[in-house]
Amino acid sequence: KAGVAFSAGVLPVTKVDPKLDALPADFQVRRLNGVARGAYVHYDAEKMAGLPVGVQVVGRRLEEEKVVAVMGVVEECLRKQGGGYELLEVE
C-alpha cells in the first residue's frame, strides 16, 4: 500500500567470495527484467571480493521489536555455524 511504513533492518551475514559468487558461464543477462538487468550488468565478483553481503528483515508496521528479534536469531544461527560478521574497528 502506498504510504504504509514497514519495520525493517539490515544484517550483514557474509562477504563476497569471488569463487563462490561468480556468475555461471551460461548466465544470460538479457533474460532478466530491466531492473535486474541493470544490476547484473555491473556485477563482477572479482572486483567485489570482500564486500559485505546482507539480508534485509522486513516486518509489519510498528513491529520493530519483532524485526530486531528475528535479526538476533539470524545472527545467533550464523555464530553457531562458526560464521557471523565481525564489525570493523572504528577509532
Side-chain angles (χ1 to χ4, degrees):
K1 295 178 184 179
V4 175
F6 293 93
S7 303
V10 178
L11 179 69
V13 294
T14 189
K15 294 179 182 173
V16 175
D17 180 316
K19 289 185 175 68
L20 293 175
D21 299 318
L23 295 175
D26 61 349
F27 186 81
Q28 296 180 15
V29 174
R30 64 182 172 82
R31 301 182 111 189
L32 302 173
N33 68 37
V35 173
R37 191 178 309 123
Y40 277 101
V41 164
H42 300 288
Y43 184 78
D44 184 331
E46 290 289 331
K47 289 180 181 176
M48 295 177 174
L51 291 178
V53 177
V55 296
Q56 183 177 32
V57 178
V58 181
R60 292 187 172 134
R61 184 173 172 255
L62 304 175
E63 291 191 344
E64 291 84 359
E65 293 87 359
K66 289 182 182 179
V67 169
V68 171
V70 170
M71 291 172 67
V73 170
V74 170
E75 189 169 29
E76 182 180 334
C77 290
L78 288 168
R79 296 214 187 278
K80 282 183 180 177
Q81 292 182 353
Y85 191 87
E86 297 301 323
L87 297 176
L88 297 173
E89 289 287 327
V90 178
E91 294 183 25

